[in-house]
Structure formats: C-alpha cells, structure tokens
Amino acid sequence: MKPFIVRLRFHGDLNVFLGSGAGDGVIERRLAEKTSIKDVIESCGVPHPEVDLIVVDEQAVGFDHTLAGDAKVKVFPVNNRDSFHTEKRLQMIGISRFIVDGHLGGLTRNLRLFGFDVGYDQHADDRQLLEIMVRENRALLTRDRRLLMHAIVQHGYYPRSQNPHEQTIEVIRRFGLSELIAPFTRCLRCNAPLEEVAKADIIEKLQALTQIYYDRFRRCPNCEQIYWPGSHFSKLQKRIEEIRARVRGTP
Ligand SMILES: [Zn+2]
C-alpha cells in the first residue's frame, strides 16, 4: 500500500518516554502497512498502561484502532484528565493492589506503610512478576519500560522519580488512592494485614523499656513482627502527613 504519515503529539508528562529528538512531544512516523495505534505509540517508547486517551483526527479511539492513512494523533496520560472524552478513558483508577519489581523496595515499604497491598519479591524474574500480576489481579509498578509494554499488562505505572518518597506520591495520585490511605495496618516486611494484640500475649518478646512505655501493639499474623508507636513512629507520622498534603495539593 501507499506509505502514509502519522503525526503523534504526546501530552502531559508522556514526553519522559520520548527520545531527546522529540523535545516538543511530537513524533512523525512513516508507515507502509496497516498498523494498530497501540503499536505505533509503543514504537515511540510509551508503554500502553501509561496511555489514558487516544484521539485520532479528533475522534477518541481504543488501542485496537488501525491506522491505514495519514493521521494526526493526540495521546494523553492519566494525570491529564480534563473534562473532554471522559467516557473514552482507557485506564482505571482506584486500583490499590500492586506487584512491584525488585528494584523498588523503598516504594514497596512506603505503600505498605500506607496500608496498600503490595506484592514484592526481590528475586522474582519478569515472568514470575507477570504471573503474579495476572493471578492476583494486581497493577504492575516498574521502571522497566519493556516489561510494562508486555501485551499481558493491563494496569501499570512507571514511576518517574528515582526517589521512593516521590514515587509514593506519584502512585497515590496516579491511582487516586488518597482516600484509601490506612497507615500502620500492614506488615512492612511481608505485606500481611496486622492484627491488634494484647500486651500480655507478647510481653516476653519486648525489651524492658518498650514494656514500660507502650500499651498498644499490633502483630503480623504471618511473620510475627510486632509493631508499636515507638520512637520512629512520630517521624513516620510526619512523613505520612507530608505525603497526604502533597497528594491533595498541587505538585
Ligand atoms: Zn509480616
């Protein structure tokens, strides 16, 4: 067939995925055969779970839309939810179950601190991560762009920042989770929900000062780690308040 030109404009922060040659977020592709819009977008480096809205020649389309002639395409991220085409959005928000790749241990800990259900195994390979993602219906968090582009991934996110604190804010914003934050309800080590436990039941496991100064305890039913509002508690509390404020406000 006759070659045709597709002109793509990437909005919002999707330009983090584009090469340095696309400073203004615009990429042109010359194609010689019918191609799905999803493949064209991913050929520009943008993983499909990052794409919330695709507009081809002023018409919102899905990932399976096929391009066969000249076209102007606008691509929007999730964090750019304006009032237009709200019914044509391709991603879901409100997902609070995650599987996190082995490089994001700090993010994992922070999300668990907020009470979110986060699967994490430092030694899992890509195949195992994807298996858990599907089996347990989790969204994938990874800075491995290729992994996020895997066809089997439905929900996922690529943290922009390298900093776990900033990554946490990004994830809470991306998935709209600020109302679901429940601090100190989940084991930071193994992800199990914590249970209240009577002091008398665990007192022999506590150090002398802890026995004296604290009365409320939670225990992980899985790994038996004991949690109490100890010296680092107020520091964590401060961090949580700061993140909450940042999520509510503008960046
Ligand atoms: Zn545990």
Short mmCIF file of all heavy atoms in Angstrom, two decimals, residues 1 4 6 31 33-38 40 56 61-69 71:
data_model
loop_
_atom_site.label_atom_id
_atom_site.label_comp_id
_atom_site.label_asym_id
_atom_site.label_seq_id
_atom_site.Cartn_x
_atom_site.Cartn_y
_atom_site.Cartn_z
N MET A 1 0.83 -1.20 0.00
CA MET A 1 0.00 0.00 0.00
C MET A 1 0.87 1.26 0.00
O MET A 1 2.05 1.21 0.29
CB MET A 1 -0.99 -0.01 1.19
CG MET A 1 -0.37 0.08 2.56
SD MET A 1 -1.57 -0.24 3.88
CE MET A 1 -2.49 1.31 3.88
N PHE A 4 2.20 6.18 4.31
CA PHE A 4 1.46 7.31 4.89
C PHE A 4 2.17 7.81 6.14
O PHE A 4 3.05 7.15 6.68
CB PHE A 4 0.00 6.92 5.18
CG PHE A 4 -0.15 5.71 6.06
CD1 PHE A 4 -0.35 5.85 7.43
CD2 PHE A 4 -0.12 4.43 5.53
CE1 PHE A 4 -0.50 4.73 8.25
CE2 PHE A 4 -0.26 3.31 6.35
CZ PHE A 4 -0.45 3.46 7.70
N VAL A 6 1.99 9.37 10.00
CA VAL A 6 1.22 9.55 11.23
C VAL A 6 1.99 10.54 12.11
O VAL A 6 3.17 10.36 12.38
CB VAL A 6 1.05 8.21 11.97
CG1 VAL A 6 0.31 8.43 13.29
CG2 VAL A 6 0.30 7.21 11.10
N LEU A 31 4.66 5.07 7.75
CA LEU A 31 4.28 3.66 7.77
C LEU A 31 3.93 3.19 6.36
O LEU A 31 3.46 3.97 5.53
CB LEU A 31 3.07 3.44 8.69
CG LEU A 31 3.28 3.87 10.15
CD1 LEU A 31 1.97 3.81 10.92
CD2 LEU A 31 4.32 2.97 10.83
N GLU A 33 2.36 -0.08 6.06
CA GLU A 33 1.31 -1.09 6.17
C GLU A 33 0.39 -0.75 7.35
O GLU A 33 0.76 0.01 8.25
CB GLU A 33 1.90 -2.48 6.34
CG GLU A 33 2.81 -2.60 7.54
CD GLU A 33 3.49 -3.98 7.61
OE1 GLU A 33 3.77 -4.56 6.54
OE2 GLU A 33 3.71 -4.46 8.73
N LYS A 34 -0.80 -1.33 7.30
CA LYS A 34 -1.76 -1.11 8.38
C LYS A 34 -1.10 -1.44 9.73
O LYS A 34 -0.49 -2.49 9.88
CB LYS A 34 -2.98 -2.02 8.21
CG LYS A 34 -3.96 -1.55 7.19
CD LYS A 34 -5.18 -2.47 7.25
CE LYS A 34 -6.17 -2.12 6.16
NZ LYS A 34 -7.31 -3.04 6.15
N THR A 35 -1.29 -0.55 10.70
CA THR A 35 -0.65 -0.75 12.00
C THR A 35 -1.62 -0.33 13.09
O THR A 35 -2.34 0.66 12.92
CB THR A 35 0.63 0.11 12.10
OG1 THR A 35 1.42 -0.08 10.92
CG2 THR A 35 1.47 -0.29 13.30
N SER A 36 -1.65 -1.07 14.19
CA SER A 36 -2.54 -0.67 15.29
C SER A 36 -1.95 0.56 15.97
O SER A 36 -0.73 0.72 16.05
CB SER A 36 -2.72 -1.81 16.30
OG SER A 36 -1.62 -1.85 17.19
N ILE A 37 -2.84 1.40 16.49
CA ILE A 37 -2.39 2.62 17.15
C ILE A 37 -1.52 2.27 18.36
O ILE A 37 -0.57 2.98 18.69
CB ILE A 37 -3.61 3.50 17.56
CG1 ILE A 37 -3.16 4.85 18.09
CG2 ILE A 37 -4.49 2.82 18.59
CD1 ILE A 37 -2.63 5.77 17.05
N LYS A 38 -1.84 1.15 19.00
CA LYS A 38 -1.06 0.74 20.18
C LYS A 38 0.40 0.49 19.79
O LYS A 38 1.34 0.92 20.47
CB LYS A 38 -1.67 -0.53 20.77
CG LYS A 38 -1.00 -1.00 22.04
CD LYS A 38 -1.65 -2.28 22.53
CE LYS A 38 -0.90 -2.87 23.70
NZ LYS A 38 -1.05 -4.32 23.80
N VAL A 40 2.02 1.69 17.20
CA VAL A 40 2.69 2.94 16.80
C VAL A 40 3.11 3.73 18.04
O VAL A 40 4.24 4.23 18.13
CB VAL A 40 1.76 3.81 15.91
CG1 VAL A 40 2.45 5.12 15.55
CG2 VAL A 40 1.38 3.06 14.65
N VAL A 56 -7.62 10.29 17.48
CA VAL A 56 -7.14 10.23 16.10
C VAL A 56 -8.06 11.10 15.25
O VAL A 56 -9.27 10.84 15.17
CB VAL A 56 -7.14 8.78 15.57
CG1 VAL A 56 -6.70 8.75 14.10
CG2 VAL A 56 -6.24 7.89 16.41
N VAL A 61 -10.30 6.95 20.30
CA VAL A 61 -10.28 5.56 19.84
C VAL A 61 -9.67 4.66 20.92
O VAL A 61 -9.07 5.13 21.88
CB VAL A 61 -9.44 5.41 18.53
CG1 VAL A 61 -10.00 6.29 17.41
CG2 VAL A 61 -7.97 5.72 18.79
N GLY A 62 -9.81 3.34 20.71
CA GLY A 62 -9.22 2.36 21.62
C GLY A 62 -7.86 1.90 21.10
O GLY A 62 -7.45 2.27 19.99
N PHE A 63 -7.20 1.03 21.88
CA PHE A 63 -5.86 0.56 21.50
C PHE A 63 -5.88 -0.27 20.20
O PHE A 63 -4.87 -0.41 19.53
CB PHE A 63 -5.26 -0.30 22.61
CG PHE A 63 -4.78 0.50 23.79
CD1 PHE A 63 -5.32 0.31 25.05
CD2 PHE A 63 -3.76 1.44 23.63
CE1 PHE A 63 -4.86 1.05 26.14
CE2 PHE A 63 -3.29 2.18 24.71
CZ PHE A 63 -3.85 1.98 25.97
N ASP A 64 -7.04 -0.87 19.88
CA ASP A 64 -7.09 -1.74 18.70
C ASP A 64 -7.38 -0.98 17.41
O ASP A 64 -7.45 -1.58 16.34
CB ASP A 64 -8.13 -2.86 18.90
CG ASP A 64 -9.49 -2.30 19.26
OD1 ASP A 64 -9.61 -1.05 19.40
OD2 ASP A 64 -10.44 -3.10 19.41
N HIS A 65 -7.52 0.32 17.50
CA HIS A 65 -7.77 1.13 16.30
C HIS A 65 -6.62 0.95 15.30
O HIS A 65 -5.45 0.96 15.67
CB HIS A 65 -7.89 2.60 16.70
CG HIS A 65 -8.11 3.53 15.55
ND1 HIS A 65 -9.35 3.77 15.01
CD2 HIS A 65 -7.23 4.26 14.82
CE1 HIS A 65 -9.22 4.61 14.00
NE2 HIS A 65 -7.95 4.93 13.86
N THR A 66 -6.97 0.77 14.02
CA THR A 66 -5.94 0.54 13.00
C THR A 66 -5.73 1.79 12.14
O THR A 66 -6.71 2.42 11.71
CB THR A 66 -6.36 -0.63 12.08
OG1 THR A 66 -6.59 -1.77 12.90
CG2 THR A 66 -5.28 -0.94 11.07
N LEU A 67 -4.49 2.11 11.93
CA LEU A 67 -4.15 3.26 11.08
C LEU A 67 -3.81 2.74 9.68
O LEU A 67 -3.03 1.79 9.53
CB LEU A 67 -2.94 4.00 11.64
CG LEU A 67 -3.13 4.64 13.02
CD1 LEU A 67 -1.80 5.07 13.59
CD2 LEU A 67 -4.10 5.81 12.94
N ALA A 68 -4.41 3.36 8.66
CA ALA A 68 -4.14 2.92 7.29
C ALA A 68 -3.91 4.10 6.35
O ALA A 68 -3.71 3.91 5.15
CB ALA A 68 -5.31 2.08 6.78
N GLY A 69 -3.91 5.32 6.89
CA GLY A 69 -3.67 6.51 6.06
C GLY A 69 -3.16 7.64 6.92
O GLY A 69 -3.06 7.49 8.16
N ALA A 71 -2.65 10.51 9.40
CA ALA A 71 -3.47 10.78 10.58
C ALA A 71 -2.73 11.69 11.54
O ALA A 71 -1.50 11.69 11.60
CB ALA A 71 -3.83 9.46 11.28
#
